[in-house]
Amino acid sequence: MALKLPANPITGDMIRIIDVGGNLTYDTSLIILAPDDIAIQGDTTQSGQIEITGYGGGELVVQTPNAGLGLVYLGPFNYDGTSTGAADSLQGWWLVEI
């Protein structure tokens, strides 16, 4: 299963995901995809398991049954348009909880 992260996130946006049914296993994955040029955990590479046009950014693969996690977005600007001061290499989606 693939989950596409928002195409136009703003700094502070958060997403939480829980595999309540315990369906994830070594051969059943949740693949979380970021839009083109947006990193997840500082990385923009993908495994190639799923290819979706416009979602060639970072990838996070989850296979742990009953996993719960949260992601937060850090971009170049705050909600009010001021700069976050974050270097390009630090911008993108980050795990905030597991």
Side-chain angles (χ1 to χ4, degrees):
M1 182 167 107
L3 176 95
K4 298 186 302 184
L5 293 171
N8 296 308
I10 59 172
T11 297
D13 282 353
M14 295 183 81
I15 294 182
R16 290 193 167 87
I17 302 161
I18 302 172
D19 174 29
V20 174
N23 296 316
L24 299 176
T25 65
Y26 71 94
D27 64 346
T28 303
S29 303
L30 169 62
I31 300 175
I32 302 168
L33 299 170
D36 292 344
D37 302 321
I38 295 181
I40 298 178
Q41 289 296 107
D43 190 8
T44 57
T45 59
Q46 293 189 2
S47 65
Q49 295 179 53
I50 295 179
E51 294 182 24
I52 298 175
T53 302
Y55 282 81
E59 174 185 86
L60 180 64
V61 178
V62 182
Q63 296 179 318
T64 305
N66 301 106
L69 59 104
L71 295 166
V72 64
Y73 181 76
L74 172 62
F77 303 104
N78 293 306
Y79 71 94
D80 62 359
T82 59
S83 174
T84 60
D88 290 346
S89 63
L90 298 177
Q91 294 176 29
W93 290 95
W94 292 92
L95 283 168
V96 66
E97 60 192 11
I98 297 177

